[in-house]
Amino acid sequence: MDLNKLMHKHLTRYFDPSKTIPEDTLQQLLGFLRSTPSSTNVQPNHFYVLATSEGKERLAANLGERFQDNSEKILNASHTVILTTRADLPDSHLDAVFDKEKVDGRFPDPAKQALWESMTRDFLNLRNYGYKDLNHWMEKQTYLAMGLTMMAAAELGVEAMPLEGFDPTSVDKAFKIRETGHTTTVLLALGYPDPAKVYKSPISRFETDQLFTFV
């Protein structure tokens, strides 16, 4: 990965609609998204991968009135991923996480698995009843997954653009997302840049001494 190149480029805002991500590249990227970490391995996400014109058109038509300027970006992207987050964390979800960990042999020692489950439940109860920020905390896991996937996309030569300009209620309704116990958190458009619309101006960031404190 050429970090120097990444540090001196703008995110793509306009995609070339004639270019499609090869299937093997897409599957590699989705495999990476599946592998991204989450705190306590809570895995609070479900991902809708819009690979067809019908899927992208449905999303573009349901962004909400004030966000229609993002429609073109979605329609021209090769793929767009709707990253959703659980609206709550029922025992059934935790049981499914723990059961999968057992199947995968994450903790070969049953005593360690039991201790892990107890510690996880205590921590999640703290988030839910102590800090009262369970939903916000789960959304942080979603953004962590998105950020890591953007870096993986860059490694694969794919441009990735996050989008927060949408009405989550409208998107949820269009894809029947809330029926699954999730809600839309953020969108990630993927594809290849339109060479005629690439930003070539310098990026602008605060200087190092304004951003870093060494202790």
Side-chain angles (χ1 to χ4, degrees):
M1 181 182 292
D2 188 344
L3 290 179
N4 189 61
K5 181 179 179 180
L6 290 179
M7 287 189 293
H8 294 89
K9 70 183 292 295
H10 293 274
L11 286 178
T12 292
R13 305 296 294 176
Y14 300 97
F15 292 97
D16 184 342
S18 69
K19 295 183 178 180
T20 302
I21 300 171
E23 185 62 24
D24 59 340
T25 301
L26 176 67
Q27 291 306 318
Q28 190 175 4
L29 187 58
L30 296 181
F32 183 90
L33 176 57
R34 175 179 176 266
S35 77
T36 53
S38 58
S39 180
T40 70
N41 198 31
V42 71
Q43 302 176 66
N45 305 113
H46 189 84
F47 309 107
Y48 292 75
V49 182
L50 310 185
T52 65
S53 296
E54 186 278 331
K56 289 184 288 185
E57 289 168 2
R58 195 194 317 175
L59 176 59
N62 288 280
L63 294 175
E65 183 177 353
R66 67 177 61 184
F67 301 115
Q68 283 306 303
D69 58 332
N70 282 330
S71 296
E72 179 184 358
K73 300 165 188 174
I74 291 167
L75 294 173
N76 288 343
S78 172
H79 296 72
T80 295
V81 181
I82 303 174
L83 293 92
T84 76
T85 310
R86 289 204 60 87
D88 58 7
L89 205 57
D91 286 339
S92 58
H93 179 79
L94 281 182
D95 289 341
V97 170
F98 296 148
D99 287 345
K100 188 64 166 63
E101 289 176 337
K102 292 173 185 174
V103 170
D104 291 339
R106 186 180 184 199
F107 298 99
D109 183 349
K112 288 186 177 180
Q113 176 73 41
L115 178 60
W116 169 255
E117 292 181 14
S118 176
M119 292 173 61
T120 298
R121 292 185 189 279
D122 284 345
F123 177 75
L124 295 176
N125 282 334
L126 178 64
R127 299 244 68 119
N128 197 22
Y129 300 107
Y131 299 150
K132 302 183 187 301
D133 68 344
L134 183 64
N135 296 100
H136 182 55
W137 174 81
M138 287 193 291
E139 287 185 334
K140 291 179 181 178
Q141 314 309 311
T142 306
Y143 275 87
L144 173 62
M146 183 182 70
L148 289 170
T149 301
M150 291 175 66
M151 296 298 291
E155 176 70 10
L156 294 172
V158 174
E159 297 285 336
M161 177 179 63
L163 288 167
E164 292 185 308
F166 63 92
D167 178 351
T169 300
S170 180
V171 175
D172 285 354
K173 184 176 180 180
F175 291 88
K176 298 181 180 179
I177 291 172
R178 294 193 180 181
E179 285 90 325
T180 71
H182 295 72
T183 185
T184 303
T185 299
V186 67
L187 311 176
L188 186 64
L190 302 165
Y192 300 99
D194 182 340
K197 297 181 179 180
V198 173
Y199 288 113
K200 297 181 180 179
S201 60
I203 64 168
S204 177
R205 300 292 187 271
F206 287 123
E207 296 300 328
T208 302
D209 59 359
Q210 293 177 271
L211 290 176
F212 298 97
T213 298
F214 295 91
V215 181

